[in-house]
Amino acid sequence: MTAIDPTAHLTAEQIEELGRELDAIRDEVIADRGERDAAYIRKVISAQRKLELVSRGVLLFSFFPPAWLLGTAGLSVAKIMDNMEIGHNILHGQWDWMRDPKIHSTTWEWDHVSPSEQWKHSHNELHHTYTNVIGKDNDLGYGIMRVDEDQRWHPFHLGQPLWNFINACFFEYGIAAYDLELGKNLHKRRRKSPEFRARAKAVGRKIRKQVLKDYVIHPLLSGPSFLTTLAATFTANLVRNIWTHSVIMCGHFPEGVQVFERRSITGETRGQWYLRQMMGSANISGSKAMHFMTGNLSHQIEHHLFPDLPSNRYAEVAVKVRALFEKYELEYVTGPLPKQVFSAWHKVFRLSLPNKKPKVKTPDREQELVAA
Amino acid sequence: MVTTPLLPSDYLDLVSPLRAGADLRGRIEAVQPETGDAATVVIRPGRGWRGHTAGQYVRIGVDVDGVRLWRAYSITSPTNRQDGRIAITVKAIPDGKVSNHLVRRAKPGTLVQLHQPAGDFVLPQAKPAKVLYLTAGSGITPVMGMLRDIEFDDVVMVHCAPQPQDVIFRNELHDLVADGKLRLTEVHTDTDGMLDIVRLDELVPDWAEREAWVCGPAGLLDAAEEHWTEHGVRERLHTERFRPRIVVAGDGGEVTFSATGRTVAADGATPLLDVGEKASVLMPSGCRMGICFGCVTPLKAGAVRDLRTGEITEAGPGVLIQTCVSAAAGPCDIEQ
C-alpha cells in the first residue's frame, strides 16, 4: 500500500518458493525441539518466581532507601520476565508441545490486568492473522493513533503523542481495554450485550485481584513500609508498562515497516502470508540480555513468521531468515532499541498532523467499525 | 490473593515439590538393571501418596525429550517397605519412548508425575489355599509385587521368557524356590516355543483348583480366559491387560465428537475443525491456520495427523490438538 511496493520485483512463483523455504526452517526447529528447550522455559519460570519472591521480600524493608531501590528494580525485572519471555510466549502455545499442564496456553494466567483468554483472542488470533492490515489489525495504532499516511486524518490525531504516552504508562490497562474493544463496545446497544458484559466482568475481576495484591495486601504485609512498598509496586508496574510498550511499538511502528490494504489479503497464499509478516514487522538488535528482556520480541520478524516456535530458538532462526531476506532482496528492518523507539515515536508525532491526500483511498475508521 | 494470578503452591513447588498438598509427584532415587532390557526404578513418592495394594499399577508421567508422556507400570515393591519408597520394573519395548527412557536414560534425582495407585489385579482379602501365577515377559511385574508382599502355603508359578537371561527377578525367584516358598517352571520360548495353554495340565496338574493370576501378552490372556471358561472355573482367574489396544494410524476415519455425541466420517486431508463445523458441532476456532492456538481441544482416543508436518499424535491424558491443522489418522474421539 506504500507508494513503492518493496515486493514488486518478486514473481508469484518466487513468493511460493520463499514460503516453502520458510516452512523448511520451521520443520527443522520442530524436529529438533526437545529436552533442552523444556529445560530452558522451566529455568526461566523458576528464576522469575525466585526473583519476584526475593524482591517482594526486600520490599518489606523498603523504608530503607537502598532496599527500596533494589526491591523495585528486582520486581520490575520479574514483572517484565513474566509478561514478555514467559507469559506472551506461553500464551502463543510455544510450549504446548511439552504437554505440561502448568506451562500450557490453555492454563497460563499472567501478572497483567487483561485476562489471558481475552488477550489470546485479540493478539494471537486477530493481530497475528491480519498483521498490519488496515481495518483488520487494530494493533496498528490500537484504534487511537494514526500510524500510516494512508489512514485518514482527524483532528483527534493531533493529541496522539499524548495518548501514546498515557497508553505507555498504563499499558496493561490499555491492553485490557483494547482486548475488550472498549471503543467500539461503549455504544449503548453493544454495552448491554451479555457477551460483552461477561468479558467486562472478567476484566473487572482480574483488575481487582491485581490491584488488591499489588496495592493493598503486599503493602499491608510490609507494615511500617506500607507507603514505600506501595510506591515500589506502582513504580515496578510503570517500568514494566513503559518497557513493554516500547518493545511492542518497535515491532510494527518503525519507519520501513509496510502496512496493507484490506483487499490485498483476499485469497492470500501461504507464501504471501509469510511475505506480509516479513514486511510488516521490525526487529531490535542487541545483546542476549536485550533479547531476553524483550521476551525475544526483538526477533519480531521471526516471531511473526513462526509465532508458535519456542522463543529461545528465534535467535538461531533469525540467521536463516535474514539470509532469505537477502536472497529475495527485501529490507530486513532492524536497529538498536533507542533508534527503533525514536523511529516509532517520530512516526507518531509526524502522523499526528495531516499529510497530502493518500494515493489509495481507504475507508475511514467509522466506516470500518460499521463494517466490522 | 497474595500470589495472584499464581497459587502459593507454584512458589512452594520451587522448594518442596514432594510436600503434602502438592500435586502428586515422585523423585527417582535409583535405577537398578534387572536384565539386558529391564530395570527397576526406585521412586520416593510425595507425601500425598496413599499407598498401594500388591498387584496394583501406578500411572507415571515422565518427561521424554521435553514432552510429558504418561504410562502405567506395575508396582513391584512390597506394600510394607520401611523407607516409604516404591519400585516399578520396566522392560524396554522396541520403539517404546517411555520404557527406553526409564531403562536407559533416567537419572536419580529426576522428578516424575504420579497418580494414585490403581487396578484390581490384586490378592483377595481371604487367603486362597492354593495359588497359581502364570506370567510372560514383563507380565511378571505385578505378580512380583504380590510374591514379595504376602507368603502363601502353596504357590506355583509358570513364567515364560525367551531365554533364561531374560527372566526378570530370576535370582530372587530361585532364592524363593530354594527356601521352599515357591514352585517355579520357566518356559524358555526361544527353545521350547510359545506356551500352549493346554500344557498347563502337565505343568500344573491341579491348576483348576488354584486361584490364578495371569499377566502377559494379549494372546496369553485370551487363551487363558478361554481355557478357564471352558473348564467352568472362570471365577478363579484374574487377568491384567496392559496395552488394551494399539492405535493404528491410518488416513482418515470415523471422528466422534463425544461431548455432542456426533460421529462422522472424515478423510485424511480435511481439518477436524471443518469436519466438526460441517457436522454442526460448536467448535472453538481462531485463525484457522495453526498460529493462534484458539482451537485446542482434548483428543480422547485415536490418532490425528498434523497437516503441516505429517506428525502423528496419539490420544492420551493431557493430549490437546489444534483442530484447524489436524486431520483424522484413523478413528478418533474429540471432546467437543
Side-chain angles (χ1 to χ4, degrees):
Chain A
M1 209 172 94
T2 322
I4 305 153
D5 179 2
T7 63
H9 61 285
L10 296 177
T11 64
E13 289 76 41
Q14 278 178 313
I15 294 172
E16 291 324 296
E17 178 57 24
L18 168 67
R20 279 189 291 277
E21 288 182 75
L22 285 166
D23 275 338
I25 294 176
R26 181 175 186 277
D27 293 348
E28 216 175 294
V29 175
I30 286 183
D32 183 49
R33 198 170 58 176
E35 207 168 306
R36 173 164 71 95
D37 306 282
Y40 170 78
I41 190 66
R42 290 216 166 88
K43 200 172 111 193
V44 173
I45 292 173
S46 148
Q48 189 276 338
R49 286 180 182 165
K50 286 174 189 158
L51 177 63
E52 187 183 338
L53 270 184
V54 170
S55 304
R56 290 194 185 267
V58 170
L59 286 176
L60 299 179
F61 309 96
S62 55
F63 56 82
F64 180 52
W68 187 90
L69 214 60
L70 193 67
T72 308
L75 189 58
S76 305
V77 172
K79 278 180 176 271
I80 288 171
M81 285 167 73
D82 176 82
N83 272 205
M84 307 296 276
E85 182 67 343
I86 302 173
H88 170 267
N89 295 334
I90 289 178
L91 293 178
H92 260 293
Q94 289 182 6
W95 305 97
D96 279 14
W97 58 273
M98 288 166 63
R99 296 188 191 166
D100 181 344
K102 292 206 181 272
I103 311 180
H104 200 277
S105 65
T106 53
T107 58
W108 192 265
E109 195 50 80
W110 54 355
D111 186 15
H112 192 290
V113 299
S114 180
S116 292
E117 216 39 58
Q118 298 191 18
W119 180 84
K120 277 194 290 182
H121 170 72
S122 62
H123 180 86
N124 292 1
E125 192 182 329
L126 301 182
H127 168 57
H128 273 271
T129 314
Y130 304 113
T131 312
N132 285 23
V133 177
I134 291 184
K136 291 281 255 182
D137 177 11
N138 290 329
D139 272 41
L140 216 61
Y142 306 113
I144 55 170
M145 281 185 297
R146 185 169 168 262
V147 291
D148 191 80
E149 272 82 358
D150 289 348
Q151 284 173 303
R152 183 170 287 187
W153 182 85
H154 282 275
F156 172 79
H157 291 128
L158 280 173
Q160 74 178 22
L162 181 64
W163 318 147
N164 199 35
F165 178 70
I166 296 170
N167 190 31
C169 295
F170 300 98
F171 194 48
E172 59 175 326
Y173 292 90
I175 295 282
Y178 168 74
D179 293 344
L180 274 176
E181 295 177 274
L182 213 54
K184 154 170 132 183
N185 283 316
L186 279 185
H187 290 291
K188 238 185 190 165
R189 204 155 27 96
R190 295 212 185 192
R191 205 167 48 199
K192 284 194 179 149
S193 93
E195 193 250 339
F196 172 72
R197 290 177 86 110
R199 290 200 296 132
K201 246 187 170 163
V203 174
R205 258 199 313 274
K206 187 83 195 283
I207 292 179
R208 257 200 315 283
K209 281 189 187 172
Q210 291 291 103
V211 167
L212 209 62
K213 173 191 68 168
D214 274 352
Y215 300 129
V216 181
I217 296 181
H218 190 223
L220 277 178
L221 285 174
S222 300
S225 298
F226 180 88
L227 281 179
T228 47
T229 299
L230 188 80
T233 334
F234 182 80
T235 309
N237 278 332
L238 186 71
V239 168
R240 185 267 316 268
N241 285 348
I242 293 178
W243 175 258
T244 51
H245 177 267
S246 303
V247 168
I248 286 158
M249 273 228 305
C250 293
H252 302 288
F253 289 11
E255 303 287 354
V257 172
Q258 309 295 312
V259 296
F260 306 88
E261 248 187 290
R262 194 182 253 238
R263 279 206 311 274
S264 71
I265 59 160
T266 18
E268 195 176 51
T269 63
R270 183 151 181 82
Q272 287 167 335
W273 182 83
Y274 268 136
L275 186 61
R276 177 158 58 83
Q277 305 302 327
M278 291 166 84
M279 303 318 295
S281 312
N283 281 5
I284 304 167
S285 57
S287 63
K288 270 193 170 168
M290 179 73 181
H291 295 311
F292 179 75
M293 290 308 285
T294 63
N296 276 296
L297 286 183
S298 47
H299 298 298
Q300 187 78 239
I301 297 172
E302 290 72 22
H303 171 60
H304 261 268
L305 291 170
F306 313 113
D308 60 344
L309 287 188
S311 57
N312 58 325
R313 295 301 190 103
Y314 286 148
E316 65 184 58
V317 164
V319 181
K320 297 173 190 168
V321 168
R322 199 162 182 166
L324 285 182
F325 268 85
E326 274 163 29
K327 178 175 168 191
Y328 290 92
E329 296 171 10
L330 298 166
E331 191 197 354
Y332 190 81
V333 181
T334 184
L337 184 78
K339 179 180 161 241
Q340 298 297 80
V341 170
F342 176 80
S343 173
W345 271 100
H346 184 250
K347 199 184 223 178
V348 168
F349 272 92
R350 184 161 54 81
L351 295 171
S352 66
L353 299 172
N355 48 282
K356 278 186 203 160
K357 277 226 163 138
K359 288 202 172 79
V360 190
K361 194 174 157 37
T362 50
D364 69 11
R365 216 172 136 251
E366 272 71 24
Q367 279 169 355
E368 288 293 342
L369 291 180
V370 172
Chain B
M1 272 299 164
V2 186
T3 57
T4 189
L6 297 176
L7 299 169
S9 64
D10 290 323
Y11 292 97
L12 289 170
D13 283 352
L14 291 175
V15 281
S16 175
L18 299 185
R19 71 187 191 284
D23 289 351
L24 191 56
R25 304 182 182 95
R27 178 171 277 130
I28 296 178
E29 297 208 330
V31 181
Q32 299 148 353
E34 295 285 352
T35 64
D37 59 0
T40 291
V41 183
V42 180
I43 298 168
R44 173 176 297 285
R47 298 280 295 278
W49 177 255
R50 290 197 211 112
H52 73 285
T53 307
Q56 282 192 310
Y57 62 85
V58 59
R59 294 191 67 86
I60 169 169
V62 187
D63 293 335
V64 182
D65 294 331
V67 183
R68 182 154 305 164
L69 299 172
W70 288 85
R71 295 290 186 272
Y73 291 106
S74 293
I75 301 170
T76 49
S77 51
T79 52
N80 56 0
R81 203 172 148 139
Q82 294 303 309
D83 57 13
R85 293 168 189 155
I86 56 166
I88 54 172
T89 303
V90 180
K91 184 173 181 291
I93 54 173
D95 299 326
K97 279 187 191 162
V98 177
S99 61
N100 278 289
H101 178 87
L102 285 173
V103 171
R104 310 193 198 285
R105 289 173 53 204
K107 297 260 177 312
T110 310
L111 279 183
V112 292
Q113 314 297 313
L114 297 177
H115 281 178
Q116 294 292 349
D120 47 15
F121 187 71
V122 292
L123 297 173
Q125 297 281 336
K127 243 184 183 186
K130 292 165 130 193
V131 171
L132 164 65
Y133 295 130
L134 171 57
T135 58
S138 58
I140 196 171
T141 54
V143 167
M144 200 62 206
M146 296 176 178
L147 273 175
R148 284 169 171 169
D149 205 58
I150 301 167
E151 278 180 23
F152 294 113
D153 303 331
D154 183 357
V155 187
V156 179
M157 180 180 213
V158 177
H159 178 66
C160 310
Q163 296 180 58
Q165 64 268 32
D166 297 320
V167 175
I168 308 173
F169 311 118
R170 190 157 195 255
N171 291 340
E172 196 175 338
L173 290 174
H174 283 269
D175 286 349
L176 287 173
V177 171
D179 292 349
K181 293 175 179 165
L182 174 71
R183 275 187 289 152
L184 172 70
T185 305
E186 282 182 36
V187 178
H188 301 134
T189 53
D190 275 3
T191 46
D192 308 342
M194 295 299 262
L195 175 74
D196 181 352
I197 200 83
V198 182
R199 275 188 66 203
L200 259 189
D201 289 329
E202 157 209 333
L203 297 172
V204 191
D206 59 351
W207 67 268
E209 295 163 28
R210 293 175 175 269
E211 200 74 15
W213 281 267
V214 180
C215 187
L220 176 71
L221 298 178
D222 292 343
E225 278 168 7
E226 204 174 304
H227 195 60
W228 259 256
T229 309
E230 241 169 57
H231 288 81
V233 284
R234 179 69 180 79
E235 73 281 356
R236 290 205 188 127
L237 174 69
H238 309 270
T239 53
E240 175 90 310
R241 282 177 193 271
F242 267 120
R243 262 163 281 142
R245 63 204 163 85
I246 291 162
V247 175
V248 184
D251 198 16
E254 293 261 292
V255 184
T256 306
F257 297 93
S258 46
T260 328
R262 281 205 183 86
T263 301
V264 287
D267 61 40
T270 311
L272 291 165
L273 176 58
D274 295 345
V275 173
E277 287 179 340
K278 238 177 255 167
S280 307
V281 177
L282 199 59
M283 303 285 287
S285 68
C287 65
R288 310 187 82 96
M289 57 188 297
I291 59 169
C292 85
F293 287 72
C295 64
V296 288
T297 308
L299 176 64
K300 305 296 280 181
V304 299
R305 178 177 284 106
D306 188 317
L307 289 166
R308 300 166 299 178
T309 57
E311 195 192 344
I312 298 286
T313 302
E314 287 176 19
V319 174
L320 295 118
I321 52 156
Q322 292 173 275
T323 59
C324 74
V325 287
S326 301
C332 51
D333 184 336
I334 316 292
E335 191 184 86
Q336 203 60 57

